């Protein structure tokens, strides 16, 4: 059944009231049209509950702006959703096209800090988020009394005499729900084993992120990345008002998964909406994403937190190799990753989700 407008509806009931179901919600294709964003294709999922999810098809099918009842849940970078042609691969040039949004994918063969690994110079966070989607399919259909909308596509990261990897992504949601999911399959279509690093850079912003907001996570251990973060360890889970001159802090979390193998965490703002509160819950499968990084950046204008599950840390591929945690994809091998995001509309929903 579809829950809309305070009532549960069957497929038969809703189709009697509408000529097309996209009167109520669905997925629509478009293009960004100005400045460096020009010609970036988009697919927007509108669930009818107040949730809208913008997928940037030409940016690795990253997720741009996510809004709930008009309120943004994520931070938007001043560079915007720049077209991939503006990508700068060396050093920290990645930051010149870091749009933030709800999800930026880092990988596929390197992620994290700039490094030199076995003679290869690697820029920040890899190149997958700058590759355009192929074979895009955006659609929706009924499954009994549930209407599912989705967008699917494939990105290929390849180079002559080097890696030949594909990322097939499917993002979907159901009509009437305030939840969406991401399923990725990364495949090695080449003939040699290649390093594989995958990090989901999930970015939360104002008004969900504001003074008093807190990260509620099943952390069994929290380790600061450096001395700057160590000074903020005691308050790592709470967020302050924007500060001038703030230096970013990163924390590594050891997470406890539920019995279903999923890690569940919430960024909660109990004071939002005149004290009614709101939160955003993330769930991800821990087996493929054993590491978790919290990026806390409460600087003036750059007011964002990154909650980042991954199969690696964020200090670059050379460091990952030194730790002995660098993963590889063998020829013909595939890895599947799964994430789910749910809007928690008030404090009661937050409390219920955490039970």
């Amino acid at each position: 059944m579809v829950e809309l407008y305070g009532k549960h509806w069957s497929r038969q009931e809703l189709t009697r009231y509408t000529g097309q179901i996209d009167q109520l919600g669905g997925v629509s294709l478009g293009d960004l049209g100005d400045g460096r964003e020009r010609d970036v294709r988009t697919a927007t999922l509108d669930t009818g509950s107040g949730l809208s999810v913008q997928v940037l098809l030409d940016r690795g099918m990253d997720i741009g702006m996510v809004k709930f009842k008009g309120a943004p849940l994520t931070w938007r970078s001043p560079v915007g959703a720049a077209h991939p042609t503006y990508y700068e691969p060396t050093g920290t040039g990645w930051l010149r096209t870091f749009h933030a949004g709800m999800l930026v994918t880092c990988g596929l063969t390197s992620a994290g800090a700039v490094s030199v690994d076995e003679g290869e110079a690697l820029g920040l966070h890899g190149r997958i988020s700058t590759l355009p989607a192929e074979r895009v399919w955006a659609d929706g259909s009924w499954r009994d009394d549930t209407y599912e909308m989705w967008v699917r596509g494939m990105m290929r990261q390849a180079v002559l005499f080097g890696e030949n990897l594909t990322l097939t992504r499917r993002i979907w949601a159901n009509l009437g729900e305030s939840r969406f999911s991401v399923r990725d399959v990364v495949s090695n279509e080449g003939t040699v084993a290649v390093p594989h690093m995958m990090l989901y850079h999930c970015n939360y912003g104002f008004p969900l992120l504001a003074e008093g907001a807190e990260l509620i996570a099943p952390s069994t251990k929290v380790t600061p990345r450096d001395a700057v973060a160590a000074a903020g360890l005691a308050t790592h889970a709470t967020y302050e008002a924007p500060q001038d001159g703030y230096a970013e802090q990163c924390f590594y979390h050891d997470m406890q998964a539920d019995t279903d193998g999923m890690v569940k965490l919430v960024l909660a703002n109990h004071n939002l909406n005149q004290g009614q509160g709101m939160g955003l819950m993330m769930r991800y499968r821990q087996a493929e994403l054993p590491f978790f990084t919290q990026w806390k950046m409460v600087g003036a204008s750059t007011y964002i937190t990154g909650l980042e599950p991954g199969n690696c840390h964020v200090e670059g591929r050379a460091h990952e190799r030194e730790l002995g945690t660098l993963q590889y994809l063998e020829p013909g091998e595939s890895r599947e990753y799964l994430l789910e995001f749910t809007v928690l509309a008030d404090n009661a929903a937050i409390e219920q989700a955490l039970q």
Side-chain angles (χ1 to χ4, degrees):
M1 302 288 280
V2 176
E3 185 177 356
L4 282 173
Y5 323 124
K7 181 179 175 180
H8 289 87
W9 306 83
S10 69
R11 173 182 180 178
Q12 183 179 24
E13 288 172 323
L14 284 178
T15 54
R16 286 176 65 85
Y17 283 99
T18 58
Q20 293 191 69
I21 201 65
D22 60 11
Q23 176 179 327
L24 307 177
V27 57
S28 58
L29 296 174
D31 295 271
L32 302 180
D34 196 26
R36 290 188 298 171
E37 296 184 335
R38 185 175 180 180
D39 294 331
V40 173
R41 297 170 296 161
T42 64
T44 301
L45 285 69
D46 177 1
T47 70
S49 72
L51 176 67
S52 66
V53 180
Q54 180 194 55
V55 181
L56 302 171
L57 300 176
D58 289 309
R59 292 297 311 267
M61 292 185 68
D62 282 348
I63 299 174
M65 293 304 298
V66 174
K67 295 184 178 182
F68 183 66
K69 297 183 178 179
L73 304 179
T74 181
W75 185 74
R76 177 174 160 85
S77 163
V79 307
H83 193 275
T85 55
Y86 294 97
Y87 171 52
E88 297 182 15
T90 58
T92 60
W94 183 89
L95 294 172
R96 292 192 176 274
T97 52
F98 172 53
H99 62 87
M102 189 71 256
L103 171 61
V104 174
T105 315
C106 303
L108 296 170
T109 58
S110 66
V114 176
S115 69
V116 177
D117 180 49
E118 296 191 333
E120 182 181 0
L122 301 167
L124 183 68
H125 281 320
R127 63 178 65 245
I128 187 60
S129 73
T130 67
L131 298 176
E134 307 171 26
R135 306 174 189 174
V136 174
W137 181 23
D139 208 344
S141 67
W142 286 98
R143 295 192 172 105
D144 297 324
D145 284 328
T146 298
Y147 184 81
E148 183 184 89
M149 61 198 77
W150 69 83
V151 58
R152 184 181 187 275
M154 183 269 285
M155 286 67 62
R156 184 179 297 274
Q157 180 178 320
V159 61
L160 187 62
F161 308 127
E163 76 268 14
N164 182 11
L165 301 177
T166 60
L167 167 59
T168 301
R169 173 166 288 178
R170 188 177 190 269
I171 301 171
W172 74 95
N174 293 336
L175 184 67
E177 296 184 1
S178 300
R179 175 178 60 190
F180 64 95
S181 301
V182 180
R183 177 182 179 268
D184 284 345
V185 177
V186 180
S187 301
N188 183 356
E189 298 189 358
T191 58
V192 297
V194 295
H196 176 46
M197 299 178 72
M198 195 75 171
L199 182 79
Y200 291 92
H201 207 300
C202 304
N203 309 293
Y204 299 67
F206 180 81
L208 178 61
L209 182 69
E211 51 266 43
E214 64 172 329
L215 171 62
I216 306 171
S219 307
T220 60
K221 181 181 178 182
V222 180
T223 304
R225 182 181 65 177
D226 51 26
V228 174
L233 179 60
T235 57
H236 75 275
T238 57
Y239 292 85
E240 303 82 15
Q243 300 178 20
D244 292 325
Y246 184 86
E248 66 177 10
Q249 298 180 2
C250 283
F251 306 92
Y252 294 131
H253 291 245
D254 293 343
M255 295 292 199
Q256 178 66 51
D258 291 340
T259 55
D260 61 358
M262 302 289 284
V263 174
K264 177 173 64 179
L265 57 103
V266 175
L267 184 71
N269 187 331
H270 299 289
N271 302 317
L272 196 60
N273 297 325
Q274 298 180 327
Q276 295 183 46
M278 188 166 72
L280 183 60
M281 178 172 68
M282 179 203 302
R283 297 176 71 239
Y284 65 91
R285 200 161 55 204
Q286 189 180 48
E288 295 83 15
L289 300 170
F291 302 107
F292 184 90
T293 304
Q294 175 195 4
W295 174 44
K296 185 176 179 180
M297 182 61 213
V298 293
S301 180
T302 310
Y303 192 72
I304 175 177
T305 191
L307 305 180
E308 307 168 11
N311 74 350
C312 58
H313 302 89
V314 293
E315 296 171 59
R317 196 168 85 190
H319 182 74
E320 208 71 16
R321 188 183 298 277
E322 291 172 6
L323 291 176
T325 52
L326 180 62
Q327 297 191 23
Y328 282 81
L329 275 174
E330 298 295 329
E333 184 182 1
S334 295
R335 301 272 180 88
E336 180 184 86
Y337 303 97
L338 181 66
L339 297 91
E340 178 185 279
F341 299 86
T342 304
V343 179
L344 306 173
D346 52 34
N347 287 326
I350 294 172
E351 183 176 351
Q352 182 178 7
L354 293 172
Q355 292 177 353

